Amino acid sequence: MGKLIAVLPGDGIGPEIVEQALRVLHKVEEAFETKFDYEEALIGGVAFDETGHPLPPETLSLCKRADAILFGAVGGPKWDQIQPPTLRPELGALLPLRKELGLFANLRPARLYPALAGSSALKSDLVGGGLDILVVRELIGGIYFGEPKGRTDNGTRAVDTCVYTQGEIERIARVGFEAARKRSKRLCSVDKANVLETSRLWREMVTRIGSEYPDVELTHILVDNCAMQLVRNPAQFDVIVTENLFGDILSDEASMLTGSLGMLPSASLGTGTFGLYEPIHGSAPDIAGQNKANPLATILSAAMMLRHSFAMEDAAKCVESAVEMALAKGARTADIASGGEEIVGTKVMGDIVIREMN
Ligand code: IPM
Ligand code: MG
């Protein structure tokens, strides 16, 4: 039996970009003489429309049986007003999926490909030397999940609670240190320790775990300063480890340094090799179904799957260098064009990457 991949295309551009990632995986099967099994399931708004729930039980049980999940995107204006909000695609599907599967570590590499230096939101003297930042985001704790949460006083008062335990901080800190060890041996921990109690516990724990990694240089930075430094001098960062909400915000910021949200993959991991792989961008309903979306973030997410879930480092590199070659040869979807280049659609971008895998 081959590895089982749960395929969850979701809403908006999800199906189009997942289709291209699947074509790339088929090419990997051929080139590396292996076979994967695929099972597709409903998630998000389309699942709500069809079954009344954005995360149907069959989808969750498929995910629990699978070795890895390839995820497109969920949500869109059509489902923004669903009541209660816990049935909306984001709150009712994506967050519970992460939580139920114990996917506490979210890896978001923000890499600027040399060919795209012109599309970075920053001036080329700041990014000319390239950029390669890894955001390690805690994914199933903090203010996203803390209780109590909700409205009181006849709806006139709202509460969200930020909670972290030592154990939750320790396990994500270890992911950060291990990642730093494999890269430049520098880890920057981001918190708001001047204000938040959870951040003081965060800093204390990260420092304590750091004593087990004497080869990694640990620094701490406040989140507001980090947001500023990312645009002032992004090259100073290598691995960043941070809590759920800060990681959400900083990873979107980091992505713009690299040119486009459409380029950035992610892996959400637990303790074993199982993982959920998704582009960090959303469902882009405005361009859905038009063959305009950039499939590269999803293709690069599939490469992360090959690396982390299937231990196929060579195949992962093959996909990543094919993406790099495609860009170097000038292939551009609309979101990464900086003017003058010929713009290709979603499918043709997939064709070009697959051709470069030869
Ligand atoms: C992300 C997204 C999600 C998050 C939303 C869609 C719930 O922004 O994956 O970064 O906040 O985690
Ligand atoms: Mg986000």
Side-chain angles (χ1 to χ4, degrees), residues 30 52 65 106-107 110 118 123 135 159 166 188 208-209 216 226 240 242 266 269 297 306 316 320:
E30 190 188 303
R65 277 188 293 122
N106 185 214
L107 310 187
K123 291 196 225 85
V135 178
V159 187
Q166 287 190 339
C188 181
R208 190 186 304 171
I209 304 303
V216 176
C226 180
I240 288 176
T242 191
S266 80
L269 308 172
L306 294 166
E320 287 164 352

Side-chain angles (χ1 to χ4, degrees), residues 108 137 144 248-249 251-252 280:
R108 298 189 161 186
R137 169 188 176 195
Y144 273 55
D248 178 46
I249 299 167
S251 60
D252 267 27
I280 81 156

Side-chain angles (χ1 to χ4, degrees), residues 293-308:
N294 183 349
L296 293 179
T298 318
I299 290 173
L300 291 167
S301 300
M304 293 186 86
M305 171 188 294
L306 294 166
R307 173 173 295 121
H308 293 282

Side-chain angles (χ1 to χ4, degrees), residues 90 94-95 98 108 137 139 144 248 278 280:
E90 296 83 352
L94 187 54
L95 298 189
R98 291 170 175 169
R108 298 189 161 186
R137 169 188 176 195
L139 201 58
Y144 273 55
D248 178 46
E278 59 169 326
I280 81 156

Side-chain angles (χ1 to χ4, degrees), residues 278-332:
E278 59 169 326
I280 81 156
H281 61 70
S283 60
D286 53 320
I287 57 164
Q290 298 172 33
N291 191 36
K292 282 186 184 161
N294 183 349
L296 293 179
T298 318
I299 290 173
L300 291 167
S301 300
M304 293 186 86
M305 171 188 294
L306 294 166
R307 173 173 295 121
H308 293 282
S309 286
F310 304 157
M312 294 178 68
E313 180 64 29
D314 292 350
K317 287 227 171 77
C318 168
V319 174
E320 287 164 352
S321 29
V323 167
E324 189 156 359
M325 283 308 294
L327 294 171
K329 291 190 175 167
R332 298 285 187 275

Side-chain angles (χ1 to χ4, degrees), residues 23-299:
R23 290 179 63 214
V24 166
L25 286 172
H26 294 320
K27 179 73 188 176
V28 166
E29 291 177 280
E30 190 188 303
F32 291 82
E33 291 178 9
T34 183
K35 203 90 200 84
F36 304 131
D37 292 323
Y38 304 88
E39 271 185 54
E40 192 174 317
L42 290 170
I43 193 155
V46 288
F48 179 83
D49 288 347
E50 206 142 308
T51 72
H53 200 284
L55 179 61
E58 312 82 71
T59 301
L60 186 58
S61 66
L62 164 64
C63 291
K64 288 184 173 164
R65 277 188 293 122
D67 295 293
I69 303 172
L70 182 65
F71 188 101
V74 293
K78 184 172 173 209
W79 304 286
D80 280 347
Q81 305 306 323
I82 294 175
Q83 288 296 345
T86 48
L87 284 179
R88 290 180 198 159
E90 296 83 352
L91 279 182
L94 187 54
L95 298 189
L97 192 60
R98 291 170 175 169
K99 186 81 172 178
E100 284 278 331
L101 299 171
L103 303 172
F104 66 87
N106 185 214
L107 310 187
R108 298 189 161 186
R111 182 163 168 227
L112 177 67
Y113 290 83
L116 292 185
S119 342
S120 170
L122 294 186
K123 291 196 225 85
S124 58
D125 56 323
L126 286 177
V127 295
L131 263 192
D132 189 355
I133 299 173
L134 175 65
V135 178
V136 177
R137 169 188 176 195
E138 199 291 325
L139 201 58
I140 55 175
I143 200 164
Y144 273 55
F145 293 95
E147 296 285 347
K149 188 184 239 344
R151 296 282 177 103
T152 63
D153 304 29
N154 289 324
T156 61
R157 185 172 166 273
V159 187
D160 291 288
T161 307
C162 186
V163 185
Y164 269 109
T165 64
Q166 287 190 339
E168 287 171 325
I169 302 169
E170 170 171 354
R171 65 185 182 179
I172 193 69
R174 289 191 188 281
V175 173
F177 281 109
E178 294 291 339
R181 207 167 236 182
K182 293 200 197 111
R183 294 168 49 112
S184 73
K185 301 198 175 357
R186 285 184 295 128
L187 179 65
C188 181
S189 172
V190 179
D191 61 38
K192 186 73 184 170
N194 54 346
V195 177
L196 302 176
E197 199 57 46
T198 41
S199 278
R200 280 190 286 276
L201 183 65
W202 181 277
R203 196 175 278 217
E204 199 179 296
M205 283 307 290
V206 174
T207 305
R208 190 186 304 171
I209 304 303
S211 65
E212 295 175 34
Y213 295 84
D215 53 319
V216 176
E217 182 204 330
L218 171 66
T219 52
H220 301 276
I221 188 170
L222 296 172
V223 62
D224 48 351
N225 188 18
C226 180
M228 185 272 277
Q229 295 292 342
L230 272 171
V231 288
R232 195 186 74 93
N233 175 19
Q236 70 184 286
F237 294 104
D238 190 66
V239 182
I240 288 176
V241 65
T242 191
E243 62 131 277
N244 203 344
L245 180 62
F246 300 160
D248 178 46
I249 299 167
L250 294 176
S251 60
D252 267 27
E253 186 186 0
S255 77
M256 260 342 266
L257 310 178
T258 72
S260 166
L261 215 48
M263 289 299 303
L264 293 207
S266 80
S268 302
L269 308 172
T271 45
T273 57
F274 178 79
L276 180 155
Y277 301 86
E278 59 169 326
I280 81 156
H281 61 70
S283 60
D286 53 320
I287 57 164
Q290 298 172 33
N291 191 36
K292 282 186 184 161
N294 183 349
L296 293 179
T298 318
I299 290 173

